[in-house]
Amino acid sequence: MLFKNIDKLVIAAVLIAFSQTASAEKIGKCDTPQCVEYFKKYKTAAKRGHPLAMLTLGQFYHHGYGTEEDEKKALKYFKKAARAGYTSGQFKAGYIFMTSEELRDIGDATYYLEKAAKYDYEGANFLLGMLHFDKKYDNRDLEKADEYFAASYKKKYEQMPTVVKFIEAEMPIDQKNFPQLYAAMNDRPLAQHKDGTLSFHDENVEVITITSPPLVQTFNKQLVSFRKAIKSTGTRFQGKTCAERLTCMQRADIADSTDFNNLFLDGFGGASNSQ
């Protein structure tokens, strides 16, 4: 049974899950003198070889923080951060290659998103599933879509209940079409509400909201670490390769205003494209 009908969820605070507050300050469009000054400082740090500065500079260009929006330059710096081993850069480069009308390249999108998925970057499996299922990408492969959607479902990625309805509007989720996703849904059925919407069961989970520090505080802390130029060792890190530095494989980006959850289900089931 893939769905369970429920009237309400009973939440028992036993296990702990962490989520980031929706009100956290994010990188978005900004043209104030302060934003322009931070953009200049990060650009200088990026020129000195700091990959984390490159990652943030890519976000500045992507959202127009302290500068004009420029997808090409955003992609340039995301790719630089990706080459240095930052999974965040891999994910964001793949995202631009997947969604940009001008820069779209499905092969490159797949390449970068698969790298991010390898390190379990949140949302990477979801994007890969959509890349291989949604006809608008002209890249349909149900076997791969099944693999990535199943992985995303097992992680309880929040957009998956809507994805399930999106898929079932075209074909059934069964052992023939989506064997891995079908098995995952049988193992952990979705809750079906009276209004027809689906959701994950939240039993035994206490959600603790953690508010991110103000952008200025985060920027200043990073800029202190950028005061010295990095001597090249082939990976831009002193003394250790990126593979030896676990931190470069972790999520290192600052929250920004792109909503990755709904972007690929625009107009379906109430989902909206918001940035």
Side-chain angles (χ1 to χ4, degrees):
M1 184 177 182
L2 301 185
F3 311 131
K4 288 184 177 179
N5 292 310
I6 60 173
D7 291 325
K8 65 179 181 179
L9 296 176
V10 178
I11 302 177
V14 178
L15 302 177
I16 299 178
F18 294 94
S19 66
Q20 186 166 332
T21 177
S23 61
E25 191 176 3
K26 300 178 181 180
I27 295 175
K29 189 171 182 61
C30 179
D31 59 2
T32 66
Q34 183 183 53
C35 293
V36 172
E37 185 62 25
Y38 276 118
F39 167 78
K40 291 178 180 178
K41 289 180 178 179
Y42 270 87
K43 189 172 184 180
T44 298
K47 288 181 178 179
R48 292 168 68 90
H50 293 277
L52 182 54
M54 298 172 192
L55 176 63
T56 305
L57 189 61
Q59 291 180 272
F60 286 172
Y61 276 120
H62 198 198
H63 297 285
Y65 187 94
T67 186
E68 295 294 323
E69 292 182 34
D70 191 323
E71 273 193 327
K72 287 185 178 180
K73 289 183 179 179
L75 180 59
K76 171 185 174 180
Y77 286 102
F78 287 151
K79 288 171 68 177
K80 284 178 178 287
R83 285 197 295 272
Y86 277 93
T87 312
S88 306
Q90 296 163 356
F91 178 83
K92 292 178 183 296
Y95 166 82
I96 290 181
F97 275 126
M98 181 177 177
T99 62
S100 172
E101 292 184 8
E102 181 182 0
L103 304 174
R104 178 173 294 177
D105 187 309
I106 299 304
D108 283 338
T110 303
Y111 171 78
Y112 282 106
L113 290 173
E114 284 182 345
K115 281 182 170 292
K118 180 180 178 181
Y119 292 99
D120 206 23
Y121 190 95
E122 183 181 9
N125 283 311
F126 167 70
L127 298 197
L128 284 164
M130 293 304 296
L131 191 65
H132 290 295
F133 179 76
D134 197 330
K135 289 181 178 179
K136 71 181 179 183
Y137 298 112
D138 194 26
N139 189 55
R140 175 163 284 192
D141 185 325
L142 292 185
E143 184 175 351
K144 289 184 177 179
D146 180 39
E147 175 188 349
Y148 291 121
F149 280 147
S152 189
Y153 186 94
K154 290 174 183 177
K155 291 290 185 180
K156 298 180 73 172
Y157 189 69
E158 62 183 305
Q159 196 63 21
M160 280 307 299
T162 307
V163 169
V164 167
K165 294 179 72 71
F166 181 69
I167 295 172
E168 292 194 326
E170 181 178 343
M171 63 181 67
I173 297 176
D174 54 23
Q175 291 180 319
K176 177 182 178 181
N177 295 321
F178 292 91
Q180 294 185 60
L181 179 57
Y182 179 79
M185 291 178 65
N186 269 295
D187 185 50
R188 287 186 174 182
L190 293 171
Q192 186 168 20
H193 302 272
K194 289 183 176 180
D195 62 0
T197 60
L198 303 175
S199 69
F200 286 109
H201 287 273
D202 291 325
E203 298 96 327
N204 303 324
V205 176
E206 178 185 356
V207 177
I208 299 177
T209 300
I210 301 176
T211 304
S212 299
L215 283 179
V216 170
Q217 181 179 331
T218 302
F219 291 159
N220 289 338
K221 183 177 180 180
Q222 287 188 357
L223 288 168
V224 169
S225 70
F226 299 155
R227 287 177 177 173
K228 293 183 179 180
I230 294 178
K231 295 180 181 180
S232 176
T233 61
T235 61
R236 293 182 180 267
F237 289 110
Q238 290 180 321
K240 294 184 179 181
T241 66
C242 192
E244 293 171 326
R245 290 175 58 99
L246 295 179
T247 53
C248 71
M249 296 303 180
Q250 298 172 356
R251 180 167 188 148
D253 56 323
I254 302 170
D256 57 37
S257 58
T258 301
D259 185 349
F260 296 108
N261 298 329
N262 295 327
L263 202 60
F264 306 94
L265 296 169
D266 187 25
F268 179 83
S272 61
N273 183 347
S274 57
Q275 291 194 18

